[in-house]
Amino acid sequence: MQRTKVKDLLTGAEAGKEVLLKGWVRTKRGNKFVSFIAVNDGSTIHNLQVVADTEKFSEEVLKDVTTGAAIAVTGELVASQGKGQAYEIQASAIEVLGKADPETYPLQKKAHSLEFLREIAHLRFRTNTFGAVFRVRNSLAFAVHRFFNEKGFVYMHTPIVTASDAEGAGEMFRVTTLDLDNPPRTEEGKINFEEDFFGKATNLTVSGQLEGELAAMAFSDIYTFGPTFRAENSNTTRHLAEFWMIEPEMAFYNLKMNADLAEEFIKYIIRYALQNNREDIEFLGQRLVEEDKSKPQNERQEMTLLEKLEFVVNSSFERVTYTEAIDILLNSNHYKKKKFQYEVSWGVDLQSEHERYLVEKHFKKPVIVTDYPKDIKAFYMRVNDDGKTVAAMDILAPGIGEIVGGSQREERLDVLVERMKGVGIHEEDLWWYLDTRRFGGCPHAGFGLGFERMVQFVTGMGNIRDVIPFPRTPQNAEF
Ligand code: ATP
Ligand code: MN
């Protein structure tokens, strides 16, 4: 017999028929006459209830039907008399496929803390919360591809091992096959990377952008969606050492077109999740409501998760220049009361507290900040006519801060080379990148969306470690 997934069984399409269910036991309760077994197979947040009359099933079989065990159940799908579910299975046969010793199985019926669940990341998929989070993550990933595919963008796989440092900022993971105990040395005593696997020093990529630009100079519109790595030692709720990034790059786009695309894209993928994962999002929203009850009034959410997401897809993002943003901050009561920890003045980078003030207190919606001072932004961003700012844009989201970083790129060879000199990047190292400015260069733009920050936003999860299956952070790569 064909197995049917819980999600499909719950529609009742097979009511009155014999069905086969396979999944993992969430709970078992009951009395002398009957056992109620809640089974989940990951297809939905809901469990399917299995009713097993003790007349039919010996204690011998039922004793192994414990929380965490994998079972197969055959029986009739019937309308449920009990509360909480429309359909249930009246079991005629139960097979235990994999036992889970109740003495040692770490997931109990009681709610576990997210911190504890991080320590058993190999099992946390089996909780309601992580089931919901990773189904939403899956939908968002699918929506990313669908959005760009509908627009005729070409999906590019940019390299993971690279000899270039896109940001010129360091913080990369070295990739090497050299013997670390006894590396080959140059005459000056430095490590000789010419003898390394690739004949030069290589790292894990921090961004696919530079290679993405090369492809945009042929396909017009491309995007990447892959893992990126940053060895920054920042133990925050928004940083991972390994995260996934989506980086579209478009020929003939200016900064405004870039911002328009990013806004449309973000709304599209949120809308897709709202349509396809409503129950998961409702569940996650309820989690936040519960969490809020233990917080002081002024720290509670003003909107539920669903309301927040609906609001974001239906409102237009605020657009301000960096200069305007600094003015807003300087004129705020928050600033006057000296509540910002970090300095606010034209030329300094916006800190997370500033970004959150703009988004959560001042505008109360996502904000696109443009035209940052050139000294705090990457070398490839196009220098504006004022000579002081670049055509950069960051998109700031409530509760998260920066979710997108992008820019119009510097297409003028001389200006670009000058900027590279300024930050100490050698022309010879990026000769291939500069070639696009030599041969058929054109105005172009792109951005990077941190996928996990997006998943955080849609699921309302406070810590980025809880939206990637196996987080890599300083001192942590267990699973
Ligand atoms: P931040 O200031 O928050 O560290 P950034 O300026 O380093 O971000 P970019 O280099 O512009 O970020 O990267 C593009 C996007 O990638 C960011 O907008 C963010 O969404 C995401 N991102 C950057 N660093 C991380 C990280 N360590 N973990 C997860 N996502 C990240
Ligand atoms: Mn960073």
Side-chain angles (χ1 to χ4, degrees):
M1 193 163 46
Q2 275 268 331
R3 161 208 185 194
T4 313
K5 293 220 174 156
V6 171
K7 189 178 183 193
D8 299 322
L9 290 170
L10 286 174
T11 64
E14 292 182 71
K17 295 202 184 117
E18 166 119 315
V19 296
L20 172 60
L21 161 74
K22 292 183 181 183
W24 293 267
V25 176
R26 283 291 173 84
T27 58
K28 183 177 74 170
R29 60 190 178 82
N31 52 40
K32 261 200 302 212
F33 310 106
V34 63
S35 278
F36 298 103
I37 306 158
V39 177
N40 190 283
D41 66 2
S43 59
T44 155
I45 186 99
H46 300 295
N47 302 326
L48 191 67
Q49 172 159 288
V50 173
V51 183
D53 291 329
T54 36
E55 261 181 16
K56 265 189 257 170
F57 299 96
S58 64
E59 185 47 32
E60 204 42 45
V61 177
L62 288 181
K63 78 170 190 343
D64 289 334
V65 178
T66 57
T67 300
I71 62 172
V73 179
T74 322
E76 190 185 342
L77 187 71
V78 297
S80 174
Q81 288 130 27
K83 267 193 250 158
Q85 66 274 324
Y87 295 94
E88 62 191 19
I89 293 181
Q90 201 71 49
S92 54
I94 297 177
E95 186 189 349
V96 176
L97 303 172
K99 296 185 206 176
D101 180 2
E103 298 293 314
T104 50
Y105 186 60
L107 285 173
Q108 301 303 321
K109 201 179 157 188
K110 70 172 174 98
H112 296 288
S113 72
L114 296 173
E115 290 78 12
F116 171 72
L117 291 169
R118 256 170 246 149
E119 288 168 19
I120 52 163
H122 58 307
L123 297 171
R124 67 178 180 169
F125 296 124
R126 301 186 192 187
T127 62
N128 283 332
T129 299
F130 287 96
V133 166
F134 291 115
R135 274 187 300 273
V136 171
R137 183 181 167 113
N138 168 61
S139 279
L140 290 171
F142 180 75
V144 166
H145 288 298
R146 210 173 86 159
F147 175 82
F148 287 119
N149 190 265
E150 281 173 0
K151 287 201 172 292
F153 280 55
V154 173
Y155 177 31
M156 272 296 144
H157 295 104
T158 48
I160 289 170
V161 176
T162 161
S164 79
D165 174 354
E167 309 288 326
E171 301 186 327
M172 303 180 89
F173 288 100
R174 172 70 27 93
V175 174
T176 182
T177 54
L178 293 179
D179 178 359
L180 293 183
D181 289 326
N182 186 22
R185 301 271 177 190
T186 60
E187 275 166 22
E188 302 91 73
K190 296 215 169 111
I191 293 178
N192 186 1
F193 287 103
E194 281 177 21
E195 289 188 31
D196 204 348
F197 190 91
F198 296 104
K200 52 167 70 174
T202 51
N203 301 292
L204 294 177
T205 183
V206 296
S207 160
Q209 178 198 319
L210 299 190
E211 289 90 352
E213 284 186 51
L214 312 181
M217 294 299 108
F219 298 100
S220 298
D221 302 317
I222 67 98
Y223 71 106
T224 72
F225 186 178
T228 42
F229 306 85
R230 296 197 185 169
E232 49 192 356
N233 206 344
S234 33
N235 249 312
T236 76
T237 54
R238 300 172 303 109
H239 288 91
L240 292 164
E242 175 180 296
F243 64 101
W244 288 65
M245 189 143 65
I246 297 135
E247 295 180 280
E249 193 68 40
M250 297 76 63
F252 317 116
Y253 268 50
N254 60 24
L255 187 65
K256 168 150 193 322
M257 296 157 84
N258 198 23
D260 289 344
L261 182 80
E263 179 171 343
E264 184 188 350
F265 168 58
I266 288 172
K267 289 176 175 173
Y268 179 100
I269 62 176
I270 296 175
R271 201 175 291 120
Y272 184 86
L274 282 170
Q275 282 163 358
N276 291 276
N277 296 74
R278 202 157 188 101
E279 292 179 327
D280 289 323
I281 293 171
E282 269 164 5
F283 173 85
L284 292 164
Q286 196 50 44
R287 234 197 104 253
L288 294 178
V289 170
E290 294 300 321
E291 211 175 76
D292 263 6
K293 287 182 183 159
S294 61
K295 289 185 184 163
Q297 198 74 37
N298 63 343
E299 283 175 30
R300 294 184 192 174
Q301 309 287 326
E302 285 168 30
M303 288 187 239
T304 66
L305 183 59
L306 260 182
E307 283 166 353
K308 179 185 86 175
L309 297 174
E310 303 271 9
F311 171 73
V312 167
V313 286
N314 293 318
S315 63
S316 47
F317 295 4
E318 198 66 41
R319 300 188 189 197
V320 290
T321 63
Y322 167 90
T323 305
E324 287 162 347
I326 290 289
D327 283 341
I328 290 168
L329 293 171
L330 287 175
N331 286 313
S332 68
N333 279 327
H334 212 78
Y335 177 78
K336 289 172 187 157
K337 290 187 194 156
K338 302 202 185 331
K339 284 198 192 157
F340 289 122
Q341 193 187 338
Y342 292 91
E343 183 192 347
V344 181
S345 67
W346 201 97
V348 303
D349 207 357
L350 297 179
Q351 298 292 325
S352 169
E353 57 173 352
H354 307 136
E355 297 178 342
R356 295 186 68 159
Y357 178 85
L358 291 170
V359 174
E360 286 157 34
K361 297 276 180 331
H362 189 81
F363 291 115
K364 295 184 187 295
K365 51 155 93 167
V367 180
I368 308 182
V369 183
T370 61
D371 304 294
Y372 284 75
K374 75 173 185 215
D375 292 339
I376 58 171
K377 288 291 184 190
F379 73 90
Y380 48 71
M381 298 189 177
R382 191 176 197 281
V383 179
N384 287 327
D385 291 343
D386 63 14
K388 294 192 305 192
T389 59
V390 286
M393 63 166 199
D394 279 5
I395 302 186
L396 315 177
I400 309 281
E402 181 186 334
I403 193 161
V404 162
S407 65
Q408 186 174 332
R409 317 307 189 190
E410 185 54 76
E411 82 281 11
R412 296 161 297 187
L413 182 64
D414 51 336
V415 184
L416 185 60
V417 167
E418 211 40 53
R419 288 272 282 153
M420 283 168 62
K421 271 202 200 113
V423 292
I425 300 175
H426 301 294
E427 259 181 78
E428 314 83 76
D429 291 339
L430 284 183
W431 63 272
W432 43 271
Y433 182 68
L434 292 172
D435 259 7
T436 55
R437 275 64 173 171
R438 291 188 183 104
F439 309 126
C442 68
H444 62 288
F447 61 86
L449 171 85
F451 187 56
E452 283 74 20
R453 295 210 187 153
M454 191 67 212
V455 182
Q456 267 191 290
F457 185 69
V458 177
T459 59
M461 298 300 281
N463 194 316
I464 199 164
R465 294 169 176 81
D466 295 330
V467 298
I468 187 162
F470 301 104
R472 269 83 182 94
T473 49
Q475 300 296 311
N476 170 35
E478 180 68 19
F479 301 97

